Structures are given as structure tokens and as C-alpha cells.
Amino acid sequence: MKYLSPYKDDPYGKLKGDKSESFIGVTFSEAIVHKTDGAYIIAGHVTEYRGVTRSYKPEEALEPGLCAVPIYGKEYEVRKKGSDGNWTSDKFQPSRFEKALYEEIAANEDDWMPHNSAIKVKITFPNDISLENDSDDEVKAQIAKWVQNEQIDLSGKLPEYKAPVPYSKNKGGNGYRGISPDEKIAFLKKQIQADIKDPAYDKEESLAELTNQMLREHADSPNFIEIYFDMLISCVR
């Protein structure tokens, strides 16, 4: 597992590699979990790395700092630039423990993505060889052994994290970057919630509930409603 230093205006380092091959671990003193298409990304302040080396100057020790760690639930691609200057993609499957942890987070998002709170978490990823004699249920049961997670107050010190945009191809074969359906829904909910006048809607609501409230507040302004939602639609296309 390799650590990639922060790049350009992104203050977060990255962990990249195949979690099925070796024991690795990270400890976050404060983190926020972000949901993307097929992955949860834990982004925050790391105080300890285990089994991780720098991609550049691997002989140097890793220092505490900001880092983003993906937890994949399905096959994923890692893009890299070859010596010829062209981009290629390598496909990986999540490790057995990683996939089990993804499913655990998906089933308990309130614990991992608490509203207006952060988490303090320590995770060790056992490799696939160490789990080869365990059933899927036995792997899931080991989450309690290898993961310690608790909710904490937000310090306000974590910089904004921008989740990577998935790469895909259009019909003409040229690459472009788009956002996942989950990210589009999250954007719509955040924007509508910000524009609603009723202060009671400062908590998490469904997109349908937020839309209905916006329609109620502007029932006498159909032109405004039409323009407003047209602008939102254009933003997520």
C-alpha cells in the first residue's frame, strides 16, 4: 500500500493499492466519511500508518497529516500515467475484509456518517491470505476485532474534502469526467435545503420532502419554481 502526497490544491494525501495483499492500518483522530459510487472514503487527520510506505522516497517515514482512505465495495479502477504519457487503468477487486467493511458502513451509515459530527476511527485491514479459511460471515464478525469507531464533535479544523470524480467514456470514445448519481442527489438536497426558508428544515430530509417544501413556499410563484428547478437540473446533467 502506497501513500501519495497531496497534489496541487488538494490538501489530502491518498492511499492507493491492493488491500488484499498485506496487513495495513490507519488511525484517524478526526475524520468524515464521504459516499461515492461503489466506495466510502474516510478523509481526515491520520495519526498513525501501519504497513504503508511513501510512493515517493519510500525510505522516509510517514508523518501524521491529512489523508483519504477509500473503502471499496465492488471492482474499481486505478488510473496511472505511463512512460508514454498516456493514461491506463488497472482493475482491482476489494479485499474480502474491505468489502465486508463497506457493507458494514452501508448498513450503519448513521454511525459512520453522523449528522454534524465526525468520527475517530482505527482500522486494520487483514489480508486475504489470513482469511482464506474463514467464511464470509466469519470475516464480517472480525470487523469488531479490527475496527474501533466512535463519534466525536467536529473540530472545524478539517479542510473541505472533494471526492474524486469517476472516469468514464462517452459514445465517441473520448474520456470525460462526470459525477455519480449519489453525488448528484447529495448536491440537490444540499442546495434545496439551503434555499428553503423554514428553519425546521435544517436537518436531514429526503429529496422528495425538500422538494415539496420548496413548492409549498413558492406556490404563488410558478415561474420562479420552473426556473429554479431548471437551473438545478442543468447543474447535475
Side-chain angles (χ1 to χ4, degrees):
M1 182 63 62
K2 301 295 184 181
Y3 169 84
L4 280 67
S5 299
Y7 182 65
K8 291 186 177 180
D9 59 348
D10 184 356
Y12 287 85
K14 305 289 184 294
L15 287 196
K16 287 191 176 182
D18 188 349
K19 299 182 185 70
S20 67
E21 296 181 346
S22 59
F23 266 87
I24 65 162
V26 291
T27 299
F28 288 90
S29 59
E30 181 183 8
I32 295 175
V33 178
H34 303 264
K35 185 176 183 179
T36 66
D37 184 20
Y40 289 95
I41 300 177
I42 306 175
H45 189 271
V46 174
T47 57
E48 181 188 15
Y49 298 93
R50 300 175 297 283
V52 179
T53 59
R54 291 180 178 275
S55 179
Y56 177 66
K57 293 186 176 181
E59 69 279 4
E60 294 186 2
L62 279 170
E63 300 294 335
L66 297 172
C67 189
V69 180
I71 311 295
Y72 293 105
K74 63 181 183 180
E75 182 179 78
Y76 60 97
E77 293 186 351
V78 176
R79 300 185 71 232
K80 62 182 181 180
K81 200 171 188 178
S83 57
D84 59 358
N86 294 321
W87 286 93
T88 60
S89 295
D90 292 330
K91 293 185 177 182
F92 296 90
Q93 295 293 333
S95 72
R96 293 186 66 199
F97 185 84
E98 179 179 21
K99 186 175 182 180
L101 180 56
Y102 174 92
E103 293 171 354
E104 171 71 14
I105 297 174
N108 299 279
E109 286 191 346
D110 288 345
D111 294 333
W112 287 85
M113 305 171 69
H115 185 56
N116 288 332
S117 296
I119 61 171
K120 179 181 179 181
V121 61
K122 178 178 181 180
I123 305 175
T124 298
F125 296 87
N127 58 27
D128 282 0
I129 293 177
S130 66
L131 303 172
E132 62 182 352
N133 295 321
D134 295 337
S135 67
D136 288 345
D137 287 340
E138 288 172 331
V139 173
K140 291 179 181 179
Q142 291 204 38
I143 291 175
K145 174 183 178 181
W146 297 112
V147 178
Q148 300 170 24
N149 176 30
E150 63 177 289
Q151 294 185 21
I152 60 173
D153 293 335
L154 286 166
S155 68
K157 297 179 181 180
L158 291 181
E160 179 185 3
Y161 174 75
K162 296 181 180 180
V165 181
Y167 177 82
S168 57
K169 294 182 178 179
N170 61 19
K171 294 180 180 179
N174 297 317
Y176 76 94
R177 291 185 177 271
I179 60 176
S180 71
D182 286 338
E183 290 173 309
K184 292 180 180 181
I185 294 297
F187 165 78
L188 290 173
K189 290 173 67 176
K190 182 178 180 181
Q191 187 57 56
I192 297 174
Q193 190 176 60
D195 293 334
I196 285 176
K197 300 175 182 177
D198 189 340
Y201 282 77
D202 62 350
K203 59 184 185 301
E204 185 69 22
E205 303 283 353
S206 70
L207 181 59
E209 291 170 327
L210 293 171
T211 301
N212 283 335
Q213 179 62 20
M214 179 62 73
L215 292 174
R216 284 193 292 268
E217 291 186 0
H218 299 278
D220 58 346
S221 304
N223 289 337
F224 170 81
I225 285 295
E226 182 178 0
I227 294 172
Y228 177 80
F229 283 104
D230 281 347
M231 287 191 296
L232 287 184
I233 292 169
S234 68
C235 289
V236 298
R237 276 180 175 167

